[in-house]
Amino acid sequence: DADAEYDECTYKMRTFSALFPERLEFSRLANLNAVQGAAAVEECVRHGVDRFVLCPGSRSTPLTIAAARHPGVRTVVAHDERAAGFLAVGYARAARKAAA
């Protein structure tokens, strides 16, 4: 039912907010997918990932938007998922840093 779903989303957002209180403003995000995308990008940044190779599409839109909006992230757009993987690996090997 709708009330139970709303309560579950509120609980999950409160849990994410407790994990990332400093940077993310979850109340401004549109839905749970946006919250999870922002949390995933934030966690990657906290572990040293600052370069994201993106293949924008309908399924990855929340993650793409979160990466594009994060101030500590540089993004590269690739049009093919396989090429994106090679771009990320190439960057990681050349820079000796993680890439996503």
Side-chain angles (χ1 to χ4, degrees):
D1 97 314
D3 290 332
E5 186 174 341
Y6 178 80
D7 291 340
E8 180 182 355
C9 288
T10 301
Y11 171 75
K12 288 178 180 177
M13 288 182 69
R14 199 170 40 244
T15 302
F16 279 123
S17 296
L19 291 173
F20 308 106
E22 297 170 7
R23 290 189 185 169
L24 299 177
E25 296 179 28
F26 290 109
S27 60
R28 294 186 181 188
L29 298 174
N31 57 40
L32 189 57
N33 290 335
V35 170
Q36 291 174 338
V41 169
E42 180 67 25
E43 189 64 19
C44 286
V45 170
R46 288 178 181 218
H47 283 87
V49 177
D50 64 354
R51 181 72 51 111
F52 284 74
V53 182
L54 305 171
C55 297
S58 60
R59 292 177 297 213
S60 63
T61 298
L63 190 59
T64 300
I65 291 171
R69 288 184 176 169
H70 196 288
V73 167
R74 294 185 63 193
T75 59
V76 176
V77 177
H79 298 287
D80 180 72
E81 291 85 0
R82 293 166 295 188
F86 285 108
L87 281 169
V89 169
Y91 171 79
R93 290 183 71 178
R96 298 198 181 278
K97 293 177 67 174

